[in-house]
Amino acid sequence: MGQTIRFGVSLNSELLEKFDALCDEKSYQTRSEAIRDLIRGVLVQKEWEQTDKEVAGVLTLVYDHHTSDLAQRLIEIQHEDHEVILCTMHVHIDHHNCLEALALRGPGESVQKLSQKLISTRGVKYGKLTLATTGQEIV
Ligand code: NI
């Protein structure tokens, strides 16, 4: 990791007020922490677009396990791409709904393709892939 460098940022007072309120709401101790996270988020997104690099993230799915064959289909898709799945967690939210969290790691393209296959499976009510980074070259 490189050395820490301080730099000044010029901002319109109205924008800064809104930013400070956001930092407060999101429990950031300092503006620097919030700005670092924002920059990391943009960089992760950029890396994500260069899909041959390795990425890591968590895919969240919500579905009704009573939907015919859905749980079975989701398992089959996961087995087809098992090499990018580190682990899965299954939570029975209520009588009908299941929440599944999959920790993923692999080439961006593979992680993205698997996530999209699962999210777009008929009957999946919610799906979101969240990327993680160490702040260095992606993971
Ligand atoms: Ni369940």
Side-chain angles (χ1 to χ4, degrees), residues 45-67:
Q45 198 55 48
K46 184 181 160 285
E47 292 284 348
W48 191 229
E49 287 158 15
Q50 302 166 348
T51 52
D52 56 324
K53 287 192 174 173
E54 186 172 82
V55 298
V58 177
L59 174 67
T60 308
L61 297 172
V62 174
Y63 60 91
D64 183 339
H65 72 96
H66 290 123
T67 305

Side-chain angles (χ1 to χ4, degrees), residues 65 90-92 97-98:
H65 72 96
H90 186 109
V91 179
H92 311 301
N97 295 297
C98 302

Side-chain angles (χ1 to χ4, degrees), residues 11 21 36 48 51 53 56 62 67-68 100-102 116:
L11 268 189
R36 276 195 290 270
W48 191 229
T51 52
K53 287 192 174 173
V62 174
T67 305
S68 81
E100 228 164 82
L102 291 78
Q116 211 37 56

Side-chain angles (χ1 to χ4, degrees), residues 8-67:
V9 177
S10 305
L11 268 189
N12 168 288
S13 62
E14 227 172 87
L15 190 59
L16 183 61
E17 224 171 86
K18 284 182 182 169
F19 184 64
D20 282 343
L22 181 81
C23 289
D24 216 40
E25 197 186 301
K26 304 269 183 190
S27 304
Y28 283 110
Q29 303 293 311
T30 63
R31 288 174 182 154
S32 291
E33 266 176 50
I35 289 169
R36 276 195 290 270
D37 272 5
L38 285 172
I39 292 172
R40 280 190 199 112
V42 172
L43 291 176
V44 166
Q45 198 55 48
K46 184 181 160 285
E47 292 284 348
W48 191 229
E49 287 158 15
Q50 302 166 348
T51 52
D52 56 324
K53 287 192 174 173
E54 186 172 82
V55 298
V58 177
L59 174 67
T60 308
L61 297 172
V62 174
Y63 60 91
D64 183 339
H65 72 96
H66 290 123
T67 305

